[in-house]
Amino acid sequence: TGRQAGTLRELMAIRAIHGKMFRRLGLGTALGFRTRDRQVTDRPAIIVFVARKLHAQWVLDGQMLPSTVQGPGDLWCDVDVVEFSYHGASSAAPKEQVYSELVECLRGDDQCVGPGSQVASLEVYGTMGAVVRSRTGEHQIGFLTNRHVAVDLDFPYQKMFHPLPPNLGPGVYLGTVERATSFVTDDLWYGMFATCCSETVVRADGAFVPFAASFDSSSVTASIKGVGEVGELFTINLDDPIANLVGKAAIKVGRSSGLTRGTVVAYGVEYHDDKGVCFFTDLLVVGDGGQFDSEGDSGSMILLCDGDKPRPVGMIWGGTSNRGRLKLRQGHEPQNWTSGVDLGRLLDLLQLDIISND
């Protein structure tokens, strides 16, 4: 009885109430839809990740997760259990996995630079995300990428190049990081306390790099190679129905694996470290028939296939090589997955607007 939760905010509130139980019995949680008989249903659920799913016959008393949980008022929702193959330490992934005409263009074999192009600091390379304009100061135009791609605290200047820095090969100076963020508290990010844990942060991992005055900005394009112009930013509203986001088809273009396709399978992924800190990452994307990202694709925009033009919704920051693999369907091997930052919230935090056309 009662009212079934139907929005991300409602699922988040229910999860917060039962957080201690989920932490005791699982490796982490996320918000999405329940899977039954190997098919994704339309029933909103809190997804609990476990090391191994077992038949109820072999689960001890006190270790069985309930099939539903109650929330505030008369709210309730389903609980789904997904197997998570944990790597432990980060697994090594080959740096160069795809060679195609598109990928060669993104790595410097093209007269233009834009979303999807290779960018590099003095020791790390990644992918250019959105072309953006600052909402403050002189309203500079620049680009967005990951903080872990752009910022190295061992160097005094956080300079970015395309395609390579001068110490590694030919390249052009793009600009220097002006503002960046790594983690944000849950109340600032979501506008609510997402857990009962006092130490809760969301992985934001973004950096804004305004184009340098010495850089020829006429070579910048806001279109994505292999995709074209993008549509308006897809703003994730926690009060909208879950189906507005979860289950949607997505694409990305990155300097390592080029154009790939996948599906948004969950939002608001939660996990804890051994120091008691609760971490959130926003988007969980699974590739269609293969990996959605590879090492070096960090910073790529995640685009929803929504309408005539794909709409930016997130930015990749990590994936399978960081933690493990998900077994989403019985009888199938575990799948690779990708973590993404909620792009709308990151743009607001860094005071930026997307430029979607040239």
Side-chain angles (χ1 to χ4, degrees):
T1 60
R3 184 169 64 87
Q4 186 177 19
T7 69
L8 292 168
R9 188 182 301 278
E10 290 171 345
L11 285 181
M12 206 171 273
I14 296 173
R15 178 173 60 180
I17 292 174
H18 299 279
K20 288 185 178 180
M21 175 187 69
F22 292 141
R23 287 196 294 275
R24 180 171 60 86
L25 300 178
L27 300 172
T29 62
L31 312 178
F33 289 113
R34 186 169 193 166
T35 300
R36 302 193 90 171
D37 299 325
R38 305 182 185 180
Q39 298 295 321
V40 179
T41 70
D42 60 357
R43 295 175 67 91
I46 296 171
I47 301 168
V48 183
F49 304 122
V50 298
R52 183 70 187 273
K53 285 181 70 172
L54 299 175
H55 190 282
Q57 174 73 21
W58 313 115
V59 181
L60 299 175
D61 292 341
Q63 294 184 340
M64 177 74 78
L65 283 158
S67 59
T68 64
V69 285
Q70 293 291 134
D74 62 348
L75 271 180
W76 65 274
C77 72
D78 284 350
V79 174
D80 197 15
V81 180
V82 169
E83 201 168 293
F84 181 82
S85 301
Y86 184 60
H87 283 325
S90 296
S91 65
K95 293 181 182 298
E96 307 286 344
Q97 296 192 28
V98 174
Y99 290 93
S100 66
E101 184 178 349
L102 170 61
V103 168
E104 295 293 345
C105 286
L106 298 173
R107 295 175 187 167
D109 191 19
D110 190 66
Q111 63 183 359
C112 293
V113 63
S117 295
Q118 176 170 304
V119 292
S121 59
L122 289 179
E123 290 195 342
V124 178
Y125 65 75
T127 297
M128 180 182 293
V131 175
V132 294
R133 176 184 287 108
S134 175
R135 298 176 190 173
T136 62
E138 299 179 359
H139 303 285
Q140 307 111 301
I141 292 175
F143 66 91
L144 192 63
T145 190
N146 285 141
R147 192 280 313 161
H148 78 263
V149 170
V151 177
D152 187 336
L153 297 179
D154 288 334
F155 291 94
Y157 303 107
Q158 311 304 322
K159 294 183 176 182
M160 298 296 292
F161 302 85
H162 171 76
L164 293 170
N167 58 314
L168 294 180
V172 174
Y173 170 57
L174 297 175
T176 298
V177 176
E178 181 179 285
R179 61 194 89 143
T181 185
S182 295
F183 298 100
V184 183
T185 58
D186 57 335
D187 57 320
L188 177 61
W189 192 255
Y190 296 122
M192 62 180 288
F193 290 103
T195 73
C196 295
C197 179
S198 59
E199 299 288 339
T200 301
V201 293
V202 182
R203 178 83 180 225
D205 201 352
F208 169 55
V209 183
F211 289 118
S214 60
F215 177 69
D216 179 10
S217 59
S218 66
S219 62
V220 177
T221 177
S223 296
I224 303 179
K225 196 79 175 177
V227 173
E229 277 193 12
V230 299
E232 293 183 0
L233 175 72
F234 185 96
T235 302
I236 299 174
N237 186 337
L238 298 184
D239 294 313
D240 284 345
I242 297 167
N244 281 17
L245 174 67
V246 178
K248 294 289 188 182
I251 59 174
K252 82 96 185 60
V253 174
R255 59 78 55 205
S256 293
S257 57
L259 173 62
T260 56
R261 301 181 183 276
T263 303
V264 179
V265 298
Y267 183 83
V269 182
E270 174 198 20
Y271 58 95
H272 294 254
D273 71 358
D274 55 6
K275 299 178 180 63
V277 178
C278 176
F279 292 92
F280 275 81
T281 187
D282 296 314
L283 295 162
L284 187 66
V285 183
V286 170
D288 292 345
Q291 274 188 224
F292 190 69
D293 77 296
S294 298
E295 184 177 353
D297 287 331
S298 290
S300 304
M301 276 196 292
I302 300 170
L303 307 162
L304 286 189
C305 301
D306 186 49
D308 294 335
K309 297 178 181 179
R311 299 178 63 185
V313 68
M315 184 172 71
I316 291 174
W317 72 262
T320 296
S321 61
N322 297 94
R323 295 185 65 80
R325 304 176 77 203
L326 295 173
K327 189 174 181 181
L328 297 171
R329 295 184 295 168
Q330 282 299 104
H332 290 72
E333 66 176 345
Q335 294 176 262
N336 298 311
W337 54 276
T338 296
S339 298
V341 180
D342 183 330
L343 186 56
R345 286 178 163 79
L346 179 61
L347 290 169
D348 285 341
L349 184 74
L350 295 180
Q351 291 291 287
L352 304 169
D353 289 311
I354 280 187
I355 297 174
S356 58
N357 58 64
D358 293 340

